[in-house]
Amino acid sequence: MASQNPCILMKPKPYSFLLLHRYFCAESCPLMAQNPDYVDEEQPHDDKHNQHLGFPARSLSGESRAERAWAHWTKLGRPRFIVAPMVDNSELPFRMLCRKYGAQGAYTPMLHSRIFSETEKYRNEEFTTCKEDRPLFVQFCANDPDVLLEAARKVEPHCDYVDINLGCPQRIAKRGNYGAFLMDNLPLVKSLVEKLAVNLQVPVSCKIRLFPNLEDTLKYARMLEEAGCMLLAVHGRTRDEKDGKKFRADWKAIRAVKNAVRIPVLANGNIRHIDDVRDCLEETGVEGVLSAETLLENPALFAGFRTAAWVSESEGTNVDGKLDQADLVIEYLKLCEMYPVPWRMIRSHVHKLLGDWFSLQPHIREELNKQSKLTFEFLYDMVDRLRGTGTRIPLYKVTRVELTADSYSD
């Protein structure tokens, strides 16, 4: 492991709100997958160059930064339906499938900034994109500003935001001292944002979780904005609320964050179907909505399709949408042939998409699990065999006007 600044690897301080209070008081191509040609380190990145491009220059007033944040968001078309970052799951073929079915923006999977900076194989396998893959957020986890900047410079020509993961609550993030566990070290968080804001040619975004105390969350959001963050995505759960089925996301808290900052805000949490998207936009007032787990089962969510599990929650009459998850698997596999990705990602998506089908035909799932090495031929044949059993679980659409991105005017 490469040597790092020892102060970055030190044991985090407890999740202490007294410490937070002290800190805040003291701080008033045609469709073709591409491995991008990474930025030459000698490319200019000085503040003068950034100002010429409209970003970011920390010397600007807060009002000027907010104006530039909104100008950029408007230039992108103000996307409302967005694929959330998912480790091993929001890769290029899946992003493109979701875009076909209504997604207007997407995050890459979380990338490890140090490994990305140091390892060409990791870069080539974990980050691919194409010209149709926009708007695009490239997300990194990090705890060293210099390492983060080095990684970010390699992707900035190929994305619309470089995003800092400040919300991952998993055990691996605790061990690595990144994600939501940086909430214990706010000076470090601020330095990560400032480092990118001063040096990049694209804006910086952050994805966060809530503190248990709302006022701490609002101060946190304002600090990120002041440091140079130009878009904030808020997962409406705390670091300890890992189970999305057990803990409902707090939309009221997201609305409070939206009202506390001057930059665009996105909401994450409680999205099961298109009605939830509509309700979230109305209740929070945010610019857009992220979905993660639901998209894995139903990538056509943003086009108004829903699984049978959520038919009873709709406000209209549900009809067979003439689309099912086997259809989506076939589309996904064809995209994977166009945009190669590691097989572990493909295997994961097939299991997620066909989970309900496998519950009716468990012997076919067992055959999949026995395959140590997958091929497209095997997977296409597997779908044919599922269909040959007479199994079909349709996705449904509601026979009323569905929400579209133009349903709301700003």
Side-chain angles (χ1 to χ4, degrees):
M1 180 176 179
S3 61
Q4 299 186 26
N5 189 328
C7 70
I8 293 172
L9 296 177
M10 65 184 178
K11 185 176 180 180
K13 295 183 175 67
Y15 204 47
S16 166
F17 299 103
L18 176 60
L19 291 173
L20 289 175
H21 176 73
R22 289 174 181 168
Y23 173 74
F24 283 126
C25 288
E27 290 282 335
S28 5
C29 38
L31 288 174
M32 180 182 299
Q34 298 177 2
N35 296 105
D37 296 323
Y38 295 104
V39 178
D40 188 335
E41 293 300 326
E42 295 182 2
Q43 182 174 340
H45 294 284
D46 56 283
D47 288 349
K48 182 177 180 181
H49 185 62
N50 289 332
Q51 288 186 7
H52 174 69
L53 293 174
F55 294 104
R58 287 260 301 125
S59 59
L60 290 172
S61 68
E63 183 176 353
S64 297
R65 287 197 301 274
E67 288 173 354
R68 292 191 180 187
W70 281 103
H72 185 70
W73 187 243
T74 300
K75 181 180 177 182
L76 297 178
R78 298 194 173 204
R80 291 189 179 275
F81 306 155
I82 299 169
V83 181
M86 294 174 278
V87 173
D88 277 358
N89 282 144
S90 59
E91 81 291 353
L92 177 58
F94 189 73
R95 295 197 300 268
M96 296 305 291
L97 180 63
C98 292
R99 290 180 192 277
K100 177 181 177 180
Y101 288 98
Q104 300 162 332
Y107 286 73
T108 66
M110 181 192 74
L111 302 169
H112 192 292
S113 58
R114 180 184 57 78
I115 301 175
F116 193 88
S117 299
E118 297 175 353
T119 310
E120 182 179 6
K121 181 180 178 181
Y122 179 83
R123 292 196 296 270
N124 291 340
E125 289 186 356
E126 305 299 322
F127 176 60
T128 56
T129 188
C130 64
K131 66 178 183 179
E132 293 82 4
D133 186 30
R134 306 295 281 268
L136 181 64
F137 297 73
V138 177
Q139 186 183 78
F140 289 103
C141 68
N143 56 24
D144 183 315
D146 293 325
V147 172
L148 175 59
L149 178 60
E150 182 180 354
R153 280 178 166 167
K154 294 180 183 297
V155 302
E156 62 177 328
H158 311 289
C159 66
D160 300 288
Y161 290 91
V162 171
D163 187 78
I164 305 175
N165 182 327
L166 300 174
C168 181
Q170 302 304 322
R171 190 176 305 166
I172 190 172
K174 184 175 184 178
R175 289 200 302 267
N177 188 28
Y178 60 79
F181 296 92
L182 295 184
M183 295 165 78
D184 297 326
N185 191 345
L186 297 182
L188 175 56
V189 171
K190 185 176 182 181
S191 70
L192 291 171
V193 177
E194 289 178 336
K195 190 72 171 184
L196 297 192
V198 170
N199 290 286
L200 289 187
Q201 302 172 29
V202 294
V204 182
S205 62
C206 298
K207 190 168 186 293
I208 66 171
R209 283 190 171 236
L210 305 175
F211 281 101
N213 180 282
L214 178 59
E215 189 57 35
D216 289 323
T217 302
L218 302 183
K219 291 175 180 177
Y220 185 37
R222 293 187 192 106
M223 180 202 78
L224 293 171
E225 179 183 14
E226 176 61 26
C229 175
M230 288 200 166
L231 180 141
L232 195 59
V234 184
H235 190 133
R237 298 181 177 92
T238 68
R239 187 172 73 189
D240 295 328
E241 294 173 337
K242 300 182 184 69
D243 189 343
K245 295 180 180 179
K246 182 178 179 181
F247 300 102
R248 295 286 290 167
D250 187 345
W251 285 355
K252 290 182 179 178
I254 296 176
R255 185 175 189 88
V257 173
K258 163 65 182 170
N259 292 336
V261 298
R262 293 167 291 185
I263 57 177
V265 175
L266 308 177
N268 188 192
N270 297 354
I271 303 301
R272 303 160 299 176
H273 44 70
I274 200 69
D275 291 337
D276 287 338
V277 175
R278 176 198 62 200
D279 293 343
C280 183
L281 287 169
E282 290 180 349
E283 292 185 28
T284 63
V286 296
E287 281 59 61
V289 171
L290 278 64
S291 179
E293 290 295 326
T294 300
L295 282 176
L296 294 178
E297 184 180 356
N298 174 23
L301 161 71
F302 289 131
F305 292 90
R306 66 182 72 208
T307 60
W310 306 118
V311 164
S312 62
E313 300 229 349
S314 65
E315 299 175 359
T317 302
N318 292 275
V319 297
D320 186 334
K322 308 302 180 185
L323 181 72
D324 60 42
Q325 287 142 315
D327 297 327
L328 293 172
V329 167
I330 295 299
E331 290 190 63
Y332 172 69
L333 293 176
K334 290 179 179 178
L335 287 165
C336 289
E337 291 188 90
M338 297 170 68
Y339 312 122
V341 292
W343 281 104
R344 71 177 190 278
M345 298 181 183
I346 299 174
R347 185 187 293 269
S348 174
H349 280 297
V350 169
H351 273 288
K352 287 282 188 178
L353 284 166
L354 295 179
D356 290 339
W357 299 56
F358 286 149
S359 66
L360 299 177
Q361 306 295 336
H363 65 286
I364 296 182
R365 175 174 53 202
E366 288 305 311
E367 291 175 15
L368 171 61
N369 290 338
K370 290 177 182 178
Q371 301 299 310
S372 59
K373 185 176 181 180
L374 290 177
T375 65
F376 288 110
E377 181 181 10
F378 172 85
L379 292 172
Y380 286 128
D381 180 67
M382 182 194 71
V383 174
D384 287 341
R385 284 185 288 122
L386 272 175
R387 286 172 166 163
T389 65
T391 300
R392 182 174 182 271
I393 305 175
L395 296 172
Y396 293 88
K397 292 202 80 172
V398 181
T399 55
R400 59 175 171 77
V401 177
E402 290 284 1
L403 173 67
T404 66
D406 298 326
S407 298
Y408 291 83
S409 58
D410 294 303

